[in-house]
Amino acid sequence: MNSIIVFGASGQLGRCIKNVVELNNIDNVIFLPEAEADILDTESLEKIFSKHKPAYVVNCAAYTAVDKAEDDAGTAHKINVTGAENLAIKCKAHGSVMIHISTDFVFGGDVAHPLTEADEAKPIGVYGQTKLDGELAVAEVLNEHFIIRTGWLYSEYANNFAKTMLKLGAERDELNIIADQVGTPTYAIDLAKFIFTIVNSSSQAYGTYHYSNEGVTSWFDFARAIFDISGVKVKANPIRTDQYPTRAKRPSYSVMDKSKVKQTFNIEIPYWRDSLVTCIGRIQQ
Ligand SMILES: NC(=O)C1=CN([C@@H]2O[C@H](COP(=O)(O)OP(=O)(O)OC[C@H]3O[C@@H](n4cnc5c(N)ncnc54)[C@H](OP(=O)(O)O)[C@@H]3O)[C@@H](O)[C@H]2O)C=CC1
Ligand SMILES: Cc1cn([C@H]2C[C@H](O)[C@@H](COP(=O)(O)OP(=O)(O)O[C@H]3O[C@@H](C)C(=O)[C@@H](O)[C@H]3O)O2)c(=O)[nH]c1=O
């Protein structure tokens, strides 16, 4: 089998993919962190594609600082749009299939039913807009793509809401957490495993898919579950979005419908709380 190349390999999802590869002795996966492969450097991308001739490319590289993006739109655009497009162009030239990761934040949050791939994406912040523009750029250049929209990623690796809550919960007596933003957390290890389901299926059902864990929760309820499962004793107060001002607006509802991904790949998706138990167990090992 030709190789799989993971770009943005030192980020959260990249590290989860590496963990899945190591635990399952999967061969032929090449992990390239930004220091070894900048997705904005087209000359070095050409060398990498020529050398490895990857069957699949997984794009985990992204600008993910949601608040910072509001004041740094140029950089966010470069990485999330131009970078994604650069990879798609190289995939087209070298016959690779691209698995590109996107976000529930492409939705505006003004519709309170689980969002399908056919629902209109209407981002309300720079991060979400650049991720949507990145999706469009990939799809325009390359037919052989899987765009996976996921949401609220967390894991034992890198920075994420679950690790922030564990840290703050241990430091403070009380925390205020937004209870009127609703979505679904995704354990990045589950997403990493799903990426290998796509690869192993050799599916040609290219297009956009929603993948998060199952179920629905708010940031407040997610935090409560983190504290309950980990045994961290902290008073968690539910608050409204307007009581926790942030630079970027976030969708108040970004639950995704996963019927398409379940039918196409014949998968069962873990319930968010079950995966949270697994993740916290691994953090506390
Ligand atoms: N985190 C989340 O909650 C969610 C994330 N997503 C999407 O999932 C994907 C993976 O996210 P996640 O792993 O959490 O994000 P991270 O921020 O943890 O990882 C992104 C990685 O991309 C790297 N990167 C940035 N610029 C470049 C570049 N020019 N060339 C190569 N690599 C670069 C970063 O390197 P460095 O650290 O050196 O900057 C970092 O290692 C992204 O597409 C994101 O939009 C979707 C929904 C939720
Ligand atoms: C730390 C903290 C956050 N919050 C709120 C702010 C925000 O609305 C929500 C989540 O905050 P964070 O900044 O950790 O998460 P955020 O970076 O907004 O998470 C998003 O990241 C991008 C990359 C995505 O693609 C999204 O799917 C989503 O996961 O929790 C509180 O209410 N209280 C707190 O103490």
Side-chain angles (χ1 to χ4, degrees):
M1 186 171 95
N2 281 346
S3 56
I4 300 166
I5 302 184
V6 178
F7 288 93
S10 58
Q12 170 173 225
L13 180 60
R15 290 169 69 187
C16 288
I17 296 173
K18 193 160 196 197
N19 178 277
V20 168
V21 161
E22 285 168 357
L23 284 180
N24 296 283
N25 298 313
I26 301 170
D27 292 328
N28 286 325
V29 188
I30 296 156
F31 292 92
L32 298 178
E34 184 178 2
E36 288 173 46
D38 179 345
I39 61 170
L40 298 177
D41 180 348
T42 51
E43 269 179 39
S44 72
L45 288 183
E46 182 56 36
K47 286 186 192 137
I48 290 163
F49 275 75
S50 298
K51 181 174 171 198
H52 297 291
K53 305 202 182 315
Y56 285 86
V57 161
V58 185
N59 182 23
C60 299
Y63 186 106
T64 57
V66 177
D67 288 317
K68 213 171 142 206
E70 296 296 314
D71 302 307
D72 194 12
T75 312
H77 183 93
K78 260 196 242 160
I79 297 168
N80 291 345
V81 186
T82 311
E85 185 178 33
N86 288 344
L87 286 178
I89 291 169
K90 294 298 169 200
C91 286
K92 189 167 174 70
H94 292 268
S96 315
V97 175
M98 181 167 174
I99 299 176
H100 176 69
I101 313 300
S102 191
T103 175
D104 59 335
F105 278 27
V106 298
F107 292 110
D110 53 346
V111 179
H113 67 76
L115 296 146
T116 72
E117 292 79 356
D119 278 305
E120 189 191 358
K122 271 192 294 182
I124 51 174
V126 168
Y127 165 74
Q129 186 65 56
T130 59
K131 292 298 292 183
L132 177 60
D133 292 345
E135 290 183 8
L136 295 171
V138 168
E140 173 80 23
V141 169
L142 180 74
N143 178 51
E144 292 79 8
H145 68 263
F146 294 96
I147 292 169
I148 313 298
R149 290 183 183 146
T150 189
W152 299 22
L153 273 190
Y154 71 94
S155 68
E156 48 271 49
Y157 300 110
N159 294 320
N160 56 67
F161 182 81
K163 285 177 70 181
T164 303
M165 286 301 114
L166 288 173
K167 182 171 176 292
L168 294 180
E171 289 169 1
R172 300 195 194 159
D173 299 328
E174 217 169 310
L175 286 172
N176 297 326
I177 325 247
I178 290 175
D180 59 1
Q181 289 173 21
V182 174
T184 311
T186 308
Y187 184 28
I189 292 280
D190 293 336
L191 175 58
K193 289 178 185 165
F194 171 61
I195 287 170
F196 286 101
T197 302
I198 299 178
V199 169
N200 293 333
S201 72
S202 304
S203 170
Q204 295 184 8
Y206 304 122
T208 300
Y209 292 88
H210 289 174
Y211 183 98
S212 67
N213 280 134
E214 289 285 26
V216 175
T217 192
S218 68
W219 291 110
F220 167 73
D221 293 285
F222 187 26
R224 270 298 305 261
I226 292 163
F227 300 138
D228 291 348
I229 295 163
S230 63
V232 169
K233 301 275 176 259
V234 58
K235 187 166 183 293
N237 304 312
I239 56 165
R240 292 187 314 269
T241 295
D242 62 10
Q243 295 173 292
Y244 192 94
T246 53
R247 184 73 185 86
K249 271 180 140 185
R250 286 160 173 81
S252 53
Y253 184 93
S254 62
V255 177
M256 294 184 291
D257 182 301
K258 293 165 291 284
S259 308
K260 183 180 173 191
V261 82
K262 286 190 281 189
Q263 274 160 22
T264 306
F265 293 97
N266 193 23
I267 52 166
E268 282 198 20
I269 299 180
Y271 177 57
W272 70 267
R273 206 175 193 285
D274 295 339
S275 287
L276 181 61
V277 169
T278 305
C279 176
I280 289 179
R282 289 176 72 162
I283 289 173
Q284 292 183 328
Q285 252 174 21

